[in-house]
């Protein structure tokens, strides 16, 4: 849990081995050596219920979070 940041659910950050999780989720850019910013909601059954990816320097919009929360509530 990441209660230090105020989240009441587990979050994941891909650190080492570099890019392994991002590659598995299809957001790692091998040519540039970094991952695009991806948000994924994974259900208890392991299925992805929501996926959104933005490119380098792109910000997530407020509607992004509303859609993600709606997807989480539907699970």
């Amino acid at each position: 849990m990441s209660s230090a940041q105020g989240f009441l659910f587990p979050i994941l950050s891909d650190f080492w081995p570099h890019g392994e999780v991002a590659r598995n989720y299809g957001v790692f850019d091998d040519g540039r050596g970094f991952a695009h910013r991806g948000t994924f909601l994974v259900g208890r059954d392991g299925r992805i219920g929501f996926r959104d990816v933005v490119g380098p320097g792109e910000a997530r919009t407020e509607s992004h979070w509303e859609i993600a929360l709606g997807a989480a509530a539907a699970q």
Side-chain angles (χ1 to χ4, degrees), residues 1-11:
M1 293 286 188
S2 185
S3 58
Q5 284 81 28
F7 297 112
L8 301 176
F9 49 85
I11 60 172

Side-chain angles (χ1 to χ4, degrees), residues 1-71:
M1 293 286 188
S2 185
S3 58
Q5 284 81 28
F7 297 112
L8 301 176
F9 49 85
I11 60 172
L12 171 71
S13 179
D14 190 7
F15 182 68
W16 195 258
H18 182 66
E20 181 177 357
V21 174
R23 279 186 186 91
N24 289 334
Y25 280 84
V27 296
F28 194 80
D29 184 331
D30 284 305
R32 293 175 159 173
F34 64 83
H36 294 275
R37 187 175 292 162
T39 301
F40 302 87
L41 293 177
V42 182
R44 295 183 195 282
D45 61 0
R47 293 174 27 189
I48 295 174
F50 174 81
R51 178 185 192 272
D52 187 68
V53 180
V54 296
E58 292 180 38
R60 294 177 177 110
T61 64
E62 286 296 318
S63 63
H64 166 93
W65 299 112
E66 292 171 10
I67 295 167
L69 290 172

